[in-house]
Amino acid sequence: MKATFIAAIAIAVTAGNAQALDLQQGGSPKLKVTKLQMGIKSPTTNACPADAELKAWVFTNKEGSVPIYIARNGGGVAGPYVVQTKATGNGTFMGVYSRTLTIHQAIDTQYRASAPNHKKLSNWVPLKASCKIGLGGGGILQN
């Protein structure tokens, strides 16, 4: 009886430690997004169509796949886009999502990335293009 009681306490303590460390079965920690950043390099010309470069950086506690979404302020949400994070060599893990946006008409808005499964949001970043010199083209953003 005493041995059973000691074994039950040992199991409870071990289970509590596993939860405190957020371990999944097998002893490894669950994939967690530690930081999500985004940047957009707006076109450097006043002529349109022109290209803008959007990038989102996903930082995690280990290698893995993270679905992210891209939201336009006051507009729609696109995704999911799966970002694969890999070791960077200094104890951090990072993956990058990159996309070229073709601008066809004047735009002044903001975008941000989200990883809802991990409850992480990036900063809002501006996308501006004046398109004072129009060279034709249709919609606002095309890829």
Side-chain angles (χ1 to χ4, degrees), residues 87-93:
T88 62
N90 57 355
T92 59
F93 301 87

Side-chain angles (χ1 to χ4, degrees), residues 12-53:
V13 168
T14 303
N17 287 341
Q19 284 181 334
L21 296 173
D22 202 14
L23 298 178
Q24 59 188 2
Q25 189 173 11
S28 64
K30 293 179 183 178
L31 178 68
K32 285 190 175 184
V33 173
T34 57
K35 186 168 48 171
L36 184 58
Q37 293 181 304
M38 189 167 165
I40 297 178
K41 185 177 179 184
S42 292
T44 56
T45 179
N46 288 331
C48 287
D51 289 338
E53 193 66 34

Side-chain angles (χ1 to χ4, degrees), residues 55-123:
K55 287 192 180 191
W57 295 269
V58 180
F59 297 86
T60 59
N61 63 330
K62 67 179 198 174
E63 289 186 352
S65 298
V66 178
I68 67 166
Y69 295 82
I70 307 296
R72 181 176 173 172
N73 195 359
V77 177
Y81 305 105
V82 177
V83 177
Q84 183 67 40
T85 63
K86 298 184 189 273
T88 62
N90 57 355
T92 59
F93 301 87
M94 183 187 75
V96 180
Y97 170 76
S98 182
R99 179 176 176 183
T100 300
L101 306 172
T102 301
I103 312 300
H104 291 277
Q105 55 190 344
I107 188 169
D108 185 359
T109 192
Q110 295 178 330
Y111 287 86
R112 80 169 167 194
S114 66
N117 295 347
H118 300 273
K119 297 181 174 98
K120 291 291 182 184
L121 296 170
S122 76
N123 49 316

